[in-house]
Amino acid sequence: TDLFDATELAVCRMYSSNREVWSGLGRSAHEGLGSPSVIGPATVLLLAGQVLPFLILATILLGAPTSSLALWLTLLGIAASLLPRLIGVFRFRQSLLGAVLHPLGVSVLLAIQWCAFFRARRHRPAAWRGRFYFQPNLNTTETYVPQN
């Protein structure tokens, strides 16, 4: 298996609305970050590395007392978080707004993961494009009737 840049060969738009993004990512979230052994550590790492530096900077800008070392560490954390996204903006023609809103995107991704985690704990299927997907480790002998 190998990865390569196919930017010049193809364009893909997986989802056309926020609802489709939520449903589509939530469908397979249990196998990703939403599994019981991964969701806790992944949440801590993503919040600490991708969201917390921006929150700290906001408190500094609002006048919270800080040291110059804390400010520099915060700016370093923000640079480390945004640099890959900004490279994507220029290299792969990704959205600059998407890169700037990266901490918000990470927060939404975590919300999707936690919703998928709790959905699986309640033995509820993921719904996507009119189909229902049960998690492989759940009892699928039950018939699920969606509530309208």
Side-chain angles (χ1 to χ4, degrees):
T1 303
D2 199 1
L3 297 174
F4 72 97
D5 177 9
T7 306
E8 301 300 323
L9 299 175
V11 175
C12 176
R13 180 161 182 94
M14 292 179 60
Y15 308 110
S16 59
S17 70
N18 292 335
R19 183 182 183 112
E20 285 182 10
V21 171
W22 189 281
S23 296
L25 293 178
R27 174 179 51 118
S28 57
H30 188 265
E31 288 78 25
L33 299 178
S35 66
S37 63
V38 177
I39 195 163
T43 299
V44 170
L45 287 173
L46 285 170
L47 285 177
Q50 305 295 314
V51 178
L52 186 59
F54 295 91
L55 295 177
I56 293 171
L57 181 61
T59 62
I60 291 171
L61 293 176
L62 291 174
T66 188
S67 68
S68 61
L69 176 62
L71 176 61
W72 281 109
L73 289 174
T74 300
L75 293 175
L76 180 63
I78 289 171
S81 175
L82 285 183
L83 184 60
R85 293 300 310 268
L86 293 174
I87 290 171
V89 166
F90 296 105
R91 177 65 181 93
F92 302 111
R93 298 187 299 256
Q94 294 177 352
S95 162
L96 178 60
L97 181 61
V100 172
L101 295 177
H102 177 72
L104 178 61
V106 169
S107 300
V108 171
L109 173 68
L110 288 171
I112 292 169
Q113 298 297 329
W114 278 99
C115 285
F117 175 80
F118 287 119
R119 184 190 66 238
R121 295 295 140 261
R122 292 187 329 262
H123 301 284
R124 306 296 287 181
W128 187 68
R129 294 194 174 185
R131 296 182 295 269
F132 296 97
Y133 299 86
F134 284 91
Q135 302 303 331
N137 62 341
L138 298 180
N139 179 4
T140 58
T141 59
E142 299 176 21
T143 301
Y144 175 75
V145 178
Q147 304 296 317
N148 291 336

mmCIF file of all heavy atoms in Angstrom, residues 17 19 31 38 41-42 48 61-62 69 76 87 89-90 94 106-107 112 119 126 128 130-132 135 139 141 143-144:
data_model
loop_
_atom_site.group_PDB
_atom_site.id
_atom_site.type_symbol
_atom_site.label_atom_id
_atom_site.label_comp_id
_atom_site.label_asym_id
_atom_site.label_seq_id
_atom_site.Cartn_x
_atom_site.Cartn_y
_atom_site.Cartn_z
ATOM 1 N N SER A 17 -23.435 18.422 3.193
ATOM 2 C CA SER A 17 -24.068 19.182 4.276
ATOM 3 C C SER A 17 -23.461 18.764 5.617
ATOM 4 O O SER A 17 -22.834 17.708 5.725
ATOM 5 C CB SER A 17 -25.585 18.933 4.305
ATOM 6 O OG SER A 17 -25.860 17.617 4.744
ATOM 7 N N ARG A 19 -25.091 17.807 8.188
ATOM 8 C CA ARG A 19 -25.775 16.597 8.633
ATOM 9 C C ARG A 19 -25.152 15.347 8.022
ATOM 10 O O ARG A 19 -24.978 14.328 8.679
ATOM 11 C CB ARG A 19 -27.262 16.688 8.277
ATOM 12 C CG ARG A 19 -28.068 15.518 8.753
ATOM 13 C CD ARG A 19 -29.530 15.676 8.306
ATOM 14 N NE ARG A 19 -30.324 14.608 8.818
ATOM 15 C CZ ARG A 19 -31.259 14.746 9.739
ATOM 16 N NH1 ARG A 19 -31.518 15.935 10.232
ATOM 17 N NH2 ARG A 19 -31.931 13.709 10.156
ATOM 18 N N GLU A 31 -15.182 2.349 15.119
ATOM 19 C CA GLU A 31 -13.961 1.639 14.780
ATOM 20 C C GLU A 31 -12.743 2.554 14.830
ATOM 21 O O GLU A 31 -11.616 2.092 14.837
ATOM 22 C CB GLU A 31 -14.053 1.016 13.378
ATOM 23 C CG GLU A 31 -14.984 -0.169 13.304
ATOM 24 C CD GLU A 31 -16.445 0.232 13.251
ATOM 25 O OE1 GLU A 31 -16.743 1.364 12.801
ATOM 26 O OE2 GLU A 31 -17.288 -0.558 13.676
ATOM 27 N N VAL A 38 -9.737 3.611 23.141
ATOM 28 C CA VAL A 38 -9.041 4.717 22.476
ATOM 29 C C VAL A 38 -9.661 6.071 22.777
ATOM 30 O O VAL A 38 -8.958 7.081 22.817
ATOM 31 C CB VAL A 38 -9.018 4.480 20.944
ATOM 32 C CG1 VAL A 38 -8.384 5.641 20.216
ATOM 33 C CG2 VAL A 38 -8.287 3.193 20.621
ATOM 34 N N PRO A 41 -7.938 8.468 25.804
ATOM 35 C CA PRO A 41 -6.631 9.045 25.466
ATOM 36 C C PRO A 41 -6.666 9.932 24.214
ATOM 37 O O PRO A 41 -6.006 10.971 24.178
ATOM 38 C CB PRO A 41 -5.734 7.825 25.226
ATOM 39 C CG PRO A 41 -6.412 6.702 25.920
ATOM 40 C CD PRO A 41 -7.875 7.017 25.911
ATOM 41 N N ALA A 42 -7.423 9.545 23.209
ATOM 42 C CA ALA A 42 -7.505 10.349 21.984
ATOM 43 C C ALA A 42 -8.127 11.707 22.277
ATOM 44 O O ALA A 42 -7.679 12.729 21.748
ATOM 45 C CB ALA A 42 -8.304 9.619 20.910
ATOM 46 N N ALA A 48 -5.743 18.651 24.143
ATOM 47 C CA ALA A 48 -4.524 19.294 24.639
ATOM 48 C C ALA A 48 -3.670 19.840 23.502
ATOM 49 O O ALA A 48 -3.099 20.929 23.620
ATOM 50 C CB ALA A 48 -3.707 18.313 25.484
ATOM 51 N N LEU A 61 -5.165 36.962 25.456
ATOM 52 C CA LEU A 61 -5.608 38.162 24.743
ATOM 53 C C LEU A 61 -6.697 38.912 25.500
ATOM 54 O O LEU A 61 -6.855 40.128 25.332
ATOM 55 C CB LEU A 61 -6.094 37.793 23.344
ATOM 56 C CG LEU A 61 -5.020 37.288 22.382
ATOM 57 C CD1 LEU A 61 -5.645 36.850 21.062
ATOM 58 C CD2 LEU A 61 -3.947 38.346 22.166
ATOM 59 N N LEU A 62 -7.455 38.185 26.322
ATOM 60 C CA LEU A 62 -8.494 38.833 27.131
ATOM 61 C C LEU A 62 -7.938 39.432 28.415
ATOM 62 O O LEU A 62 -8.692 39.948 29.232
ATOM 63 C CB LEU A 62 -9.607 37.838 27.447
ATOM 64 C CG LEU A 62 -10.464 37.419 26.251
ATOM 65 C CD1 LEU A 62 -11.433 36.311 26.652
ATOM 66 C CD2 LEU A 62 -11.211 38.624 25.688
ATOM 67 N N LEU A 69 7.249 33.041 28.818
ATOM 68 C CA LEU A 69 7.465 31.636 28.476
ATOM 69 C C LEU A 69 6.142 30.958 28.131
ATOM 70 O O LEU A 69 6.047 30.228 27.132
ATOM 71 C CB LEU A 69 8.154 30.895 29.624
ATOM 72 C CG LEU A 69 8.350 29.385 29.413
ATOM 73 C CD1 LEU A 69 9.249 29.132 28.207
ATOM 74 C CD2 LEU A 69 8.895 28.739 30.663
ATOM 75 N N LEU A 76 3.930 28.377 20.126
ATOM 76 C CA LEU A 76 4.560 27.194 19.535
ATOM 77 C C LEU A 76 3.526 26.083 19.338
ATOM 78 O O LEU A 76 3.500 25.417 18.296
ATOM 79 C CB LEU A 76 5.706 26.708 20.423
ATOM 80 C CG LEU A 76 6.464 25.486 19.937
ATOM 81 C CD1 LEU A 76 7.161 25.775 18.619
ATOM 82 C CD2 LEU A 76 7.458 25.038 20.990
ATOM 83 N N ILE A 87 -0.047 23.969 5.290
ATOM 84 C CA ILE A 87 0.622 23.306 4.171
ATOM 85 C C ILE A 87 -0.428 22.717 3.232
ATOM 86 O O ILE A 87 -0.312 22.824 2.010
ATOM 87 C CB ILE A 87 1.593 22.221 4.692
ATOM 88 C CG1 ILE A 87 2.792 22.887 5.375
ATOM 89 C CG2 ILE A 87 2.054 21.310 3.552
ATOM 90 C CD1 ILE A 87 3.699 21.924 6.113
ATOM 91 N N VAL A 89 -3.392 23.815 2.742
ATOM 92 C CA VAL A 89 -4.048 24.913 2.020
ATOM 93 C C VAL A 89 -3.292 25.209 0.726
ATOM 94 O O VAL A 89 -3.895 25.337 -0.343
ATOM 95 C CB VAL A 89 -4.126 26.182 2.902
ATOM 96 C CG1 VAL A 89 -4.480 27.410 2.082
ATOM 97 C CG2 VAL A 89 -5.127 25.985 4.028
ATOM 98 N N PHE A 90 -1.989 25.292 0.835
ATOM 99 C CA PHE A 90 -1.196 25.664 -0.344
ATOM 100 C C PHE A 90 -0.889 24.466 -1.247
ATOM 101 O O PHE A 90 -0.927 24.589 -2.463
ATOM 102 C CB PHE A 90 0.096 26.360 0.094
ATOM 103 C CG PHE A 90 -0.188 27.656 0.789
ATOM 104 C CD1 PHE A 90 -0.057 27.762 2.160
ATOM 105 C CD2 PHE A 90 -0.626 28.760 0.071
ATOM 106 C CE1 PHE A 90 -0.340 28.952 2.807
ATOM 107 C CE2 PHE A 90 -0.912 29.953 0.716
ATOM 108 C CZ PHE A 90 -0.765 30.055 2.085
ATOM 109 N N GLN A 94 -6.662 23.213 -0.166
ATOM 110 C CA GLN A 94 -7.687 23.113 0.868
ATOM 111 C C GLN A 94 -8.134 24.513 1.269
ATOM 112 O O GLN A 94 -7.480 25.506 0.981
ATOM 113 C CB GLN A 94 -7.154 22.344 2.076
ATOM 114 C CG GLN A 94 -6.847 20.893 1.793
ATOM 115 C CD GLN A 94 -6.256 20.194 2.998
ATOM 116 O OE1 GLN A 94 -5.939 20.792 4.011
ATOM 117 N NE2 GLN A 94 -6.089 18.878 2.866
ATOM 118 N N VAL A 106 -11.797 20.017 15.154
ATOM 119 C CA VAL A 106 -11.369 18.945 16.067
ATOM 120 C C VAL A 106 -12.415 18.754 17.163
ATOM 121 O O VAL A 106 -12.753 17.620 17.529
ATOM 122 C CB VAL A 106 -9.978 19.260 16.660
ATOM 123 C CG1 VAL A 106 -9.638 18.319 17.805
ATOM 124 C CG2 VAL A 106 -8.915 19.194 15.575
ATOM 125 N N SER A 107 -12.953 19.846 17.675
ATOM 126 C CA SER A 107 -13.987 19.762 18.714
ATOM 127 C C SER A 107 -15.230 19.044 18.199
ATOM 128 O O SER A 107 -15.811 18.206 18.897
ATOM 129 C CB SER A 107 -14.351 21.159 19.220
ATOM 130 O OG SER A 107 -13.216 21.795 19.762
ATOM 131 N N ILE A 112 -18.609 14.022 17.592
ATOM 132 C CA ILE A 112 -19.098 12.899 16.783
ATOM 133 C C ILE A 112 -18.623 11.586 17.379
ATOM 134 O O ILE A 112 -19.399 10.622 17.503
ATOM 135 C CB ILE A 112 -18.625 13.045 15.321
ATOM 136 C CG1 ILE A 112 -19.317 14.228 14.651
ATOM 137 C CG2 ILE A 112 -18.873 11.759 14.532
ATOM 138 C CD1 ILE A 112 -18.727 14.607 13.298
ATOM 139 N N ARG A 119 -23.813 5.918 21.502
ATOM 140 C CA ARG A 119 -24.786 5.204 20.673
ATOM 141 C C ARG A 119 -24.497 3.703 20.702
ATOM 142 O O ARG A 119 -25.406 2.886 20.870
ATOM 143 C CB ARG A 119 -24.739 5.717 19.235
ATOM 144 C CG ARG A 119 -25.801 5.071 18.343
ATOM 145 C CD ARG A 119 -25.616 5.392 16.873
ATOM 146 N NE ARG A 119 -24.379 4.795 16.392
ATOM 147 C CZ ARG A 119 -23.366 5.450 15.849
ATOM 148 N NH1 ARG A 119 -23.426 6.742 15.680
ATOM 149 N NH2 ARG A 119 -22.287 4.834 15.457
ATOM 150 N N ALA A 126 -25.884 2.986 13.752
ATOM 151 C CA ALA A 126 -25.592 4.234 13.048
ATOM 152 C C ALA A 126 -26.503 4.286 11.829
ATOM 153 O O ALA A 126 -26.748 3.265 11.184
ATOM 154 C CB ALA A 126 -24.130 4.261 12.618
ATOM 155 N N TRP A 128 -27.134 6.042 8.105
ATOM 156 C CA TRP A 128 -26.465 6.808 7.065
ATOM 157 C C TRP A 128 -27.095 6.475 5.727
ATOM 158 O O TRP A 128 -27.211 5.308 5.353
ATOM 159 C CB TRP A 128 -24.968 6.487 7.042
ATOM 160 C CG TRP A 128 -24.168 7.329 6.121
ATOM 161 C CD1 TRP A 128 -23.897 8.664 6.238
ATOM 162 C CD2 TRP A 128 -23.514 6.899 4.931
ATOM 163 N NE1 TRP A 128 -23.117 9.090 5.210
ATOM 164 C CE2 TRP A 128 -22.859 8.017 4.379
ATOM 165 C CE3 TRP A 128 -23.426 5.682 4.277
ATOM 166 C CZ2 TRP A 128 -22.132 7.951 3.204
ATOM 167 C CZ3 TRP A 128 -22.690 5.624 3.110
ATOM 168 C CH2 TRP A 128 -22.049 6.756 2.594
ATOM 169 N N GLY A 130 -30.125 6.392 4.747
ATOM 170 C CA GLY A 130 -31.295 5.533 4.813
ATOM 171 C C GLY A 130 -31.022 4.095 5.239
ATOM 172 O O GLY A 130 -31.924 3.275 5.252
ATOM 173 N N ARG A 131 -29.778 3.779 5.579
ATOM 174 C CA ARG A 131 -29.439 2.425 6.021
ATOM 175 C C ARG A 131 -28.985 2.476 7.467
ATOM 176 O O ARG A 131 -28.504 3.486 7.953
ATOM 177 C CB ARG A 131 -28.327 1.848 5.132
ATOM 178 C CG ARG A 131 -28.768 1.679 3.692
ATOM 179 C CD ARG A 131 -27.668 1.065 2.842
ATOM 180 N NE ARG A 131 -26.488 1.897 2.696
ATOM 181 C CZ ARG A 131 -26.286 2.770 1.718
ATOM 182 N NH1 ARG A 131 -27.210 2.963 0.806
ATOM 183 N NH2 ARG A 131 -25.178 3.462 1.651
ATOM 184 N N PHE A 132 -29.125 1.337 8.148
ATOM 185 C CA PHE A 132 -28.728 1.235 9.539
ATOM 186 C C PHE A 132 -27.552 0.283 9.657
ATOM 187 O O PHE A 132 -27.554 -0.795 9.074
ATOM 188 C CB PHE A 132 -29.903 0.758 10.402
ATOM 189 C CG PHE A 132 -31.029 1.739 10.408
ATOM 190 C CD1 PHE A 132 -32.114 1.575 9.557
ATOM 191 C CD2 PHE A 132 -30.992 2.849 11.229
ATOM 192 C CE1 PHE A 132 -33.148 2.492 9.538
ATOM 193 C CE2 PHE A 132 -32.017 3.770 11.216
ATOM 194 C CZ PHE A 132 -33.101 3.595 10.374
ATOM 195 N N GLN A 135 -22.902 -2.014 15.091
ATOM 196 C CA GLN A 135 -21.484 -2.244 15.370
ATOM 197 C C GLN A 135 -21.245 -3.751 15.419
ATOM 198 O O GLN A 135 -22.085 -4.497 15.901
ATOM 199 C CB GLN A 135 -21.089 -1.601 16.698
ATOM 200 C CG GLN A 135 -21.357 -0.113 16.759
ATOM 201 C CD GLN A 135 -20.674 0.663 15.648
ATOM 202 O OE1 GLN A 135 -19.641 0.269 15.157
ATOM 203 N NE2 GLN A 135 -21.269 1.761 15.237
ATOM 204 N N ASN A 139 -25.141 -7.137 19.556
ATOM 205 C CA ASN A 139 -26.075 -8.211 19.222
ATOM 206 C C ASN A 139 -26.980 -7.723 18.093
ATOM 207 O O ASN A 139 -27.829 -6.872 18.284
ATOM 208 C CB ASN A 139 -26.899 -8.569 20.470
ATOM 209 C CG ASN A 139 -27.906 -9.652 20.186
ATOM 210 O OD1 ASN A 139 -27.949 -10.198 19.076
ATOM 211 N ND2 ASN A 139 -28.700 -9.961 21.169
ATOM 212 N N THR A 141 -29.097 -9.627 16.420
ATOM 213 C CA THR A 141 -30.260 -10.473 16.205
ATOM 214 C C THR A 141 -31.553 -9.717 16.486
ATOM 215 O O THR A 141 -32.614 -10.143 16.086
ATOM 216 C CB THR A 141 -30.196 -11.736 17.095
ATOM 217 O OG1 THR A 141 -30.141 -11.319 18.466
ATOM 218 C CG2 THR A 141 -28.969 -12.568 16.743
ATOM 219 N N THR A 143 -34.289 -6.803 16.017
ATOM 220 C CA THR A 143 -34.766 -6.004 14.906
ATOM 221 C C THR A 143 -34.881 -4.565 15.387
ATOM 222 O O THR A 143 -35.513 -4.293 16.408
ATOM 223 C CB THR A 143 -36.133 -6.502 14.423
ATOM 224 O OG1 THR A 143 -36.001 -7.859 14.038
ATOM 225 C CG2 THR A 143 -36.630 -5.674 13.253
ATOM 226 N N TYR A 144 -34.300 -3.667 14.652
ATOM 227 C CA TYR A 144 -34.349 -2.265 15.027
ATOM 228 C C TYR A 144 -35.403 -1.562 14.184
ATOM 229 O O TYR A 144 -35.393 -1.657 12.964
ATOM 230 C CB TYR A 144 -32.988 -1.586 14.819
ATOM 231 C CG TYR A 144 -33.050 -0.107 15.076
ATOM 232 C CD1 TYR A 144 -33.129 0.373 16.377
ATOM 233 C CD2 TYR A 144 -33.057 0.806 14.034
ATOM 234 C CE1 TYR A 144 -33.194 1.726 16.618
ATOM 235 C CE2 TYR A 144 -33.121 2.156 14.269
ATOM 236 C CZ TYR A 144 -33.194 2.616 15.560
ATOM 237 O OH TYR A 144 -33.270 3.953 15.811
#
